[in-house]
Amino acid sequence: MVQLQRFFDEYFMSEALHLARKGLARTSPNPMVGAVLTKDNKVIGRGFHRCCGEAHAETVALIDARGKTAGATLYTNLEPCVHHGRTPPCAEAIVRARLRRVVVESIMFKSTSASSRPRPKN
């Protein structure tokens, strides 16, 4: 069962990375981010960050899921933001969505989204 879940995690993360590439040359100074929402290993929402100042990938995927997010899993290639900027924090939307799991491919330790966590020691 663990190997099967790992297969799904890798599969859906690769889809999130593919979605992130759609933001190439349009998201600066923000990074390219993709997000996939699944429930029972079936996709219920997808999103990517289209342009600086617009909704982030996680929020787009949550909207795409049309409220069917309780108990779902979110796959995103970058940690959800926790700060208020041009858009509200993705982390707050994720908590409100009552997801079961969040699978993150990369964490930006020097970003403002990581400012509330302790930094790793070298």
Side-chain angles (χ1 to χ4, degrees):
M1 188 63 148
V2 172
Q3 285 183 329
L4 184 60
Q5 187 58 58
R6 183 175 177 164
F7 167 80
F8 283 118
D9 287 351
E10 290 175 0
Y11 178 81
F12 292 124
M13 185 58 71
S14 70
E15 185 172 344
L17 288 164
H18 176 75
L19 286 166
R21 286 187 208 105
K22 291 183 174 188
L24 183 64
R26 299 191 295 166
T27 63
S28 183
N30 294 341
M32 296 180 297
V33 181
V36 177
L37 262 171
T38 68
K39 199 168 196 177
D40 301 320
N41 294 317
K42 294 181 178 95
V43 175
I44 61 169
R46 290 180 177 90
F48 68 97
H49 184 51
R50 296 179 191 280
C51 180
C52 184
E54 291 187 13
H56 292 177
E58 303 91 332
T59 303
V60 174
L62 290 169
I63 292 167
D64 189 41
R66 298 185 177 124
K68 300 174 185 172
T69 58
T73 298
L74 173 68
Y75 296 89
T76 182
N77 64 296
L78 188 65
E79 66 177 318
C81 67
V82 296
H83 63 279
H84 288 270
R86 293 182 184 143
T87 61
C90 296
E92 289 180 7
I94 289 167
V95 169
R96 283 192 306 272
R98 301 180 58 210
L99 304 179
R100 184 176 66 87
R101 294 176 67 220
V102 176
V103 180
V104 177
E105 195 271 333
S106 183
I107 297 172
M108 291 181 61
F109 286 104
K110 294 185 179 183
S111 74
T112 54
S113 59
S115 63
S116 62
R117 285 196 313 273
R119 303 258 193 293
K121 295 181 182 178
N122 293 338

